[in-house]
Amino acid sequence: MLLSLFQNSNVENLPPHVLRLVYKEVSALAADPPEGIKIYPSEEDITELHTAIEGPEGTPFAGGVFRMRLVLGKDFPAVPPKGYFLTKIFHPNVGHKGEICVNVLKRDWKAELGLRHILLTIKCLLIHPNPESALNEEAGRLLLEDYAEYESRARLLTEIHAMDGPGGTSGAPRDPNDGPQPKKHAGDPLKRAEPNAAAVPAALGNGANGASTTSSNSNNSSSVNNVAGKKKADKKRALRRL
C-alpha cells in the first residue's frame, strides 16, 4: 500500500520513514480513536486525514457532528499540519473558510506531539474557545460581551449544519448501513390487491340474482297494469248499460 501512496499529493514529497510513521499512527488512530472522534483514513492520500468530532456536552455544539481534516505538508513533522473544519461552525477560533487557529498548530507544535494530540486539542477548543486569538472576530466579541447571543448563534449553526434531520446535515460521512433502513412491506402488494377468489363466484351469483329480481319485478308491474286496464273496461261497459 505504501508504494501506491508515493504517487499522490504530498506523499511524494515526504521521506519514506516519515510515511511509515504517519501510516502507523493513522492506523492506530483508526483502530483506537479518541473518545468522541471518528477517523476516516484515505488509502489514496495518507497526508490528508478526515475526521468527525462530536460536539461536547454542555456547549452550544452538543448533539452536532463536525467534519474536519488535517493536511500534512511536505515538511511534516518539522512543520505542524494545517487543520480545517469542513462543517460550518460559529466559533472564535475557526475562520470563515474553516481554518483553525490553535497554538498546537502554530508556535506550540513539537514533532513528537503526534496527530492524536492535535485532535484532542481541537476537541478541547470546542469546550474552551480562545477569544484572544480569534479568526472569527464577531464570535470572539460576542463570547466576551454577550455570551447568551454567542451561544444562541453557535447553537443555531450547529442545528443547521451539524445535525441530522430537517434543516440539518449530518457532519460525519454517512455509512450506508447507518440510520433507519427502508421498511419491508408485509406481503406482496400485488397479492393484497387481488380479490378473494371465494368472493368472485358469490359476486357473480349476486349479479345473476339481481338480474332475476329485476325481471320478476317487471313481470309483476305488467300484471298490475293489465288488471287496472281490465277494471277500467268493465266500468265503461257498466256505464253504457245505464
Side-chain angles (χ1 to χ4, degrees):
M1 181 181 295
L2 284 176
L3 291 176
S4 65
L5 294 176
F6 285 114
Q7 302 173 358
N8 297 284
S9 187
N10 288 323
V11 172
E12 59 186 9
N13 298 319
L14 292 175
H17 73 280
V18 173
L19 284 175
R20 284 192 289 268
L21 289 175
V22 171
Y23 180 75
K24 182 178 180 181
E25 184 172 10
V26 170
S27 298
L29 280 171
D32 182 24
E35 183 179 357
I37 301 177
K38 289 185 178 181
I39 311 297
Y40 301 93
S42 171
E43 295 184 358
E44 297 179 356
D45 185 0
I46 199 71
T47 65
E48 186 167 314
L49 181 64
H50 284 250
T51 69
I53 300 178
E54 297 177 5
E57 292 296 327
T59 73
F61 315 108
V65 179
F66 299 86
R67 291 190 299 119
M68 192 203 75
R69 69 181 177 124
L70 291 177
V71 180
L72 282 57
K74 60 185 179 61
D75 296 321
F76 181 84
V79 175
K82 293 182 179 181
Y84 302 89
F85 271 97
L86 302 179
T87 302
K88 194 169 184 179
I89 183 173
F90 189 73
H91 190 287
N93 307 114
V94 181
H96 295 292
K97 295 182 179 180
E99 62 274 27
I100 301 171
C101 179
V102 62
N103 288 337
V104 73
L105 296 179
K106 292 184 175 181
R107 63 176 180 267
D108 291 347
W109 170 253
K110 296 178 182 178
E112 61 268 21
L113 290 179
L115 301 177
R116 181 181 293 269
H117 180 79
I118 294 174
L119 295 176
L120 289 172
T121 301
I122 293 175
K123 184 178 180 182
C124 286
L125 195 65
L126 298 181
I127 303 174
H128 303 291
N130 182 9
E132 295 179 0
S133 60
L135 290 178
N136 185 329
E137 294 182 1
E138 183 180 14
R141 179 182 61 80
L142 289 175
L143 179 64
L144 293 173
E145 299 176 2
D146 189 350
Y147 182 80
E149 179 63 19
Y150 162 76
E151 183 179 40
S152 175
R153 293 275 297 277
R155 183 64 186 168
L156 177 62
L157 262 69
T158 297
E159 292 175 352
I160 293 174
H161 298 286
M163 291 184 177
D164 285 325
T169 55
S170 175
R174 293 194 65 82
D175 186 327
N177 294 323
D178 286 347
Q181 299 298 313
K183 294 182 179 180
K184 295 182 178 180
H185 295 292
D188 188 340
L190 294 178
K191 290 182 179 179
R192 293 201 302 272
E194 290 177 358
N196 188 326
V200 172
L204 293 176
N206 289 339
N209 291 337
S212 176
T213 302
T214 302
S215 178
S216 176
N217 290 338
S218 298
N219 293 335
N220 291 338
S221 178
S222 298
S223 299
V224 170
N225 290 335
N226 291 337
V227 170
K230 187 177 181 181
K231 285 183 178 180
K232 286 182 180 180
D234 293 340
K235 189 174 182 179
K236 286 181 180 180
R237 284 195 293 271
L239 290 173
R240 287 194 193 103
R241 290 171 187 165
L242 294 173

